[in-house]
Structures are given as structure tokens and as C-alpha cells.
């Protein structure tokens, strides 16, 4: 494990960092409408993992369990589907559509996906009369493509990497008049990814009601950074500046940590990681902007460390993938960084189990 004390905490990156700009707005009214139309709008559980807390030598461990969110198996159920719902609600309010169920009829939403973002888009689009096109790389297992097709999505394979499929999604969206809905942000492409991140704030709102005692630490796994940024903002809003926020990435894809070191968004090339959902070499610019200001530490973990933690969690009836376990893995393998991070018998941790065990 590697750890970096964030030099930008409280002030954010310099103005010349040339990041995509934007803000995540309040979700209250949008979230209510979205959850009402969702097949399962119930809050995900917050687990008290006292046995694991004892193993890790800390006072308490709460785990936000996203493995069954809306029947889609991941926190990302709150992302693309929420962004689509927000567009439908806007059309009803401005009078250009009469009913949410067909408010987006004739539209096709497109995205690239290595996993759960595409499933959220595929599930969300038909709720409002729209269609979905999901672009996947050659390395994405066919089982995932089958799940997408079962939701009614058009599946297009393109390229050897996620970045390749993203380029093709953008090209075909422009050529066909589709709406591109990525889960990341970059200059001139902020609104869609911002809305996806806004959906993730629902988790924080739920936790504020579920967790009576504030945590001392929040560990957040990150790929492009959407979950981490939204949950960091929620933590600061709910508990203020005292909570220590730690971002966790694969050591093969430290896009956010590299951006913090460079003071701007950069590409962080590396080998393929078993943390497939987190194996992102370029950060979301908007996520990097927020995390530079709100996070206290940026850390990386190895594939071996996270594999060890996956096995430990499975032994405690918390089956998940390497991506889903990454935040807990950083706590599990803090090692020589434990003192600097403030781990001890008086510390109370919040972590996220971000997806279920089906690694497709």
C-alpha cells in the first residue's frame, strides 16, 4: 500500500489546472421522483461489521452494502438511471412531455461500460420511453453483454480497452444523434457525468439517517472517481471537516493520485488490474476537482492485497469483487501507514461494499 497526504486539502487544485468545471446540485426533489419510479427504491443497508473491526484493530466498522441496489447489484444503479430520470423530469416540468413514462420517447442514450454503469443505463432508459446503446471492449465477458441485452440494450463491442469503447461510443453517438451519457467528465463534457455523480449522493443522504454516530474515517474506492467524489461531499456535508477521507485506487491505475501529484488531470498508464471497475487510467475531471479539495489522503493497493481482502470478506459472508472490496482492503492492509492515517481502537470507519460478487 502507498499513501499520499493531500497537499490540496481545503483549497483545491490551482486555477490553471484546466479542469472541467461544474457543481453537483442538491438531489432532494429529483431523487424522490427517481426512487418512486424505480423497481426497488429502498435504501441499501448499513452493516455493523464488529467482527471485522476487531480483526483490523479499530473501534467500529460500518459498511454501506450496495450489492443488491435496485436488483442491479451495484451502487451504479443510482447513476445513469438517475441522470436519465432527471432529463425526463425536466421535460415534464417545461411542458414538452406530458408523462414521465414516455417523456424521452425517440431518444437513445449511449455509454461505454466495463460493468455496472451500462447496466444502470440499460435499466433506466426504458422507464422513460428511451433506448440504450452500450459499448463494451473485447475484454468484457459475454455474460455481461447478455445481461445488457436482457434489459433491452443494444450492445456494441469495440476495441481492446475501455478507452477504445468510449471513443467509439462518442463517435456513434454523434453520428446517430444519440445522447452520450458517460460516468466521467472532461472539458466540454461535464453535464452528463455530473448528473451521474449527483445520483450517487443518494447514498450519503441514506447514511446520514442510518448512522447515529459520526465516523472518524471514510475509505472510498475510486476508478474515475465518481463514487468517491459524491461520497466525500456527502461526508463533509453531514459530518464536517473533522472526518478523515481516504481515496483508494489500484496501484495499476492511480489516476487520481497522479493528478494530485501533478496538480492537474493526467493519464496514469499501468498494467491491467483485477480491480476491473476501478482500472481507469484517466480521472473524471469534476471528481478530481472535488476530491482535491475534500480528501485527506490518496492511497493505492495491489491486486494481491485486495485478493486477500476479498477472501476475508467471503469468510464473513460479505461476498464481493476486488473492485467492491478495494476500500476495505486499504483498511485491512494499512500496515506502516496506520498511525499516519489515525487507525486505532478509538477510530470508527465507514466503508462501501460497492458491488455484488458477480464479476462479469
Amino acid at each position: 500500500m502507498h499513501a499520499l497526504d493531500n497537499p490540496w486539502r481545503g483549497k483545491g487544485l490551482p486555477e490553471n489546472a484546466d479542469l472541467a468545471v461544474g457543481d453537483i446540485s442538491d438531489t432532494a426533489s429529483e431523487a424522490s421522483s427517481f426512487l418512486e419510479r424505480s423497481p426497488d427504491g429502498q435504501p441499501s443497508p448499513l452493516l455493523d461489521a464488529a467482527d471485522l473491526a476487531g480483526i483490523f484493530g479499530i473501534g467500529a466498522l460500518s459498511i454501506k452494502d450496495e450489492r443488491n441496489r435496485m436488483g442491479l447489484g451495484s451502487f451504479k444503479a443510482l447513476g445513469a438511471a438517475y441522470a436519465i430520470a432527471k432529463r425526463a423530469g425536466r421535460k415534464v416540468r417545461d411542458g414538452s412531455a406530458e408523462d414521465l413514462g414516455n417523456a424521452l420517447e425517440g431518444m437513445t442514450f449511449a455509454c461505454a461500460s466495463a460493468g455496472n454503469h451500462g447496466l444502470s443505463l440499460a435499466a433506466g432508459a426504458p422507464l422513460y420511453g428511451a433506448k440504450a446503446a452500450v459499448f463494451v471492449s473485447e475484454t468484457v465477458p459475454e455474460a455481461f453483454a447478455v445481461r445488457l441485452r436482457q434489459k433491452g440494450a443494444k450492445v456494441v463491442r469495440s476495441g481492446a480497452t475501455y478507452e477504445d469503447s468510449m471513443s467509439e461510443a462518442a463517435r456513434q453517438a454523434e453520428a446517430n444523434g444519440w445522447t452520450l451519457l458517460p460516468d466521467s467528465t472532461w472539458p466540454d463534457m461535464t453535464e452528463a457525468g455530473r448528473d451521474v455523480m449527483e445520483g450517487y449522493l443518494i447514498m450519503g443522504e441514506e447514511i446520514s439517517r442510518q448512522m447515529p454516530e459520526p465516523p472518524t474515517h471514510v475509505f472510498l474506492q475510486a476508478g474515475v472517481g465518481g463514487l468517491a467524489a459524491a461520497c466525500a461531499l456527502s461526508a463533509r456535508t453531514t459530518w464536517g471537516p473533522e472526518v478523515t477521507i481516504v481515496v483508494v485506487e489500484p496501484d495499476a491505475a492511480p489516476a487520481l493520485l497522479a493528478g494530485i501529484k501533478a496538480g492537474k488531470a493526467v493519464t496514469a498508464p499501468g498494467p491491467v488490474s483485477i480491480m476491473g471497475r476501478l482500472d481507469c487510467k484517466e480521472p473524471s475531471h469534476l471528481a478530481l476537482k472535488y476530491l482535491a479539495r475534500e480528501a485527506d489522503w490518496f492511497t493505492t493497493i495491489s491486486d494481491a492485497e485486495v485478493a486477500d481482502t476479498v477472501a476475508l470478506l467471503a469468510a464473513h459472508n460479505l461476498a464481493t469483487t476486488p473492485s467492491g472490496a478495494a476500500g476495505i482492503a486499504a483498511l485491512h492492509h494499512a500496515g506502516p501507514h496506520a498511525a499516519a492515517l489515525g487507525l486505532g481502537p478509538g477510530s470508527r470507519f465507514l466503508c462501501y461494499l460497492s458491488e455484488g460478487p458477480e464479476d462479469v
Side-chain angles (χ1 to χ4, degrees):
M1 178 180 173
H2 172 69
L4 173 69
D5 192 356
N6 179 18
W8 306 107
R9 170 72 178 95
K11 56 187 177 182
L13 294 176
E15 292 183 7
N16 63 0
D18 194 28
L19 295 175
V21 296
D23 289 297
I24 305 176
S25 63
D26 175 58
T27 65
S29 60
E30 300 286 356
S32 176
S33 175
F34 165 60
L35 293 172
E36 285 174 4
R37 288 191 64 81
S38 300
D40 178 7
Q42 297 302 309
S44 64
L46 186 70
L47 309 178
D48 178 7
D51 50 350
L52 289 174
I55 292 171
F56 299 154
I58 59 175
L61 174 60
S62 298
I63 299 176
K64 184 64 167 167
D65 185 359
E66 293 293 311
R67 294 176 298 166
N68 295 306
R69 174 71 74 172
M70 295 181 181
L72 297 183
S74 164
F75 78 96
K76 286 200 171 185
L78 296 171
Y82 171 88
I84 292 169
K86 185 174 181 179
R87 283 156 176 75
R90 188 183 303 144
K91 282 184 170 289
V92 171
R93 288 192 298 273
D94 69 18
S96 58
E98 294 183 359
D99 179 73
L100 281 172
N102 58 19
L104 303 178
E105 189 172 355
M107 294 184 67
T108 296
F109 290 91
C111 75
S113 180
N116 298 306
H117 176 64
L119 197 58
S120 180
L121 184 138
L127 293 177
Y128 304 94
K131 296 180 180 180
V134 182
F135 291 73
V136 300
S137 72
E138 297 163 0
T139 58
V140 171
E142 182 60 21
F144 176 64
V146 169
R147 292 181 70 194
L148 291 169
R149 294 189 190 102
Q150 288 173 342
K151 294 292 183 182
K154 173 185 175 70
V155 179
V156 181
R157 286 196 179 272
S158 180
T161 67
Y162 169 81
E163 288 75 18
D164 292 338
S165 58
M166 183 70 249
S167 295
E168 183 62 13
R171 188 190 71 78
Q172 289 204 30
E174 183 175 2
N176 295 310
W178 298 341
T179 299
L180 188 65
L181 191 60
D183 61 350
S184 188
T185 60
W186 55 88
D188 301 321
M189 189 62 182
T190 303
E191 181 180 0
R194 179 205 64 204
D195 289 346
V196 170
M197 290 169 61
E198 188 176 301
Y200 301 156
L201 292 173
I202 292 171
M203 289 184 287
E205 193 277 330
E206 291 175 358
I207 290 171
S208 70
R209 292 182 277 109
Q210 293 171 322
M211 197 166 187
E213 187 175 16
T216 58
H217 296 73
V218 181
F219 274 40
L220 301 167
Q221 55 264 52
V224 297
L227 175 146
C231 294
L233 283 172
S234 294
R236 290 282 178 238
T237 299
T238 304
W239 300 302
E242 298 306 314
V243 62
T244 298
I245 295 174
V246 180
V247 177
V248 183
E249 298 178 279
D251 61 7
L256 294 161
L257 186 147
I260 293 300
K261 284 184 174 180
K264 61 181 180 180
V266 296
T267 300
V272 174
S273 170
I274 65 170
M275 290 168 271
R277 314 287 195 245
L278 309 182
D279 191 4
C280 304
K281 313 304 187 186
E282 299 179 18
S284 165
H285 284 222
L286 190 54
L288 178 60
K289 168 190 169 183
Y290 282 117
L291 289 168
R293 189 184 70 200
E294 304 295 351
D296 296 284
W297 291 85
F298 287 81
T299 66
T300 61
I301 53 171
S302 69
D303 283 0
E305 288 170 332
V306 79
D308 182 43
T309 301
V310 168
L312 174 67
L313 292 174
H316 287 78
N317 297 314
L318 294 171
T320 186
T321 66
S323 298
I328 301 172
L331 171 58
H332 184 193
H333 292 282
H337 303 289
L341 292 171
L343 279 65
S347 53
R348 302 179 303 277
F349 279 76
L350 170 64
C351 292
Y352 288 72
L353 206 57
S354 58
E355 65 178 14
E358 186 180 24
D359 198 5
V360 300

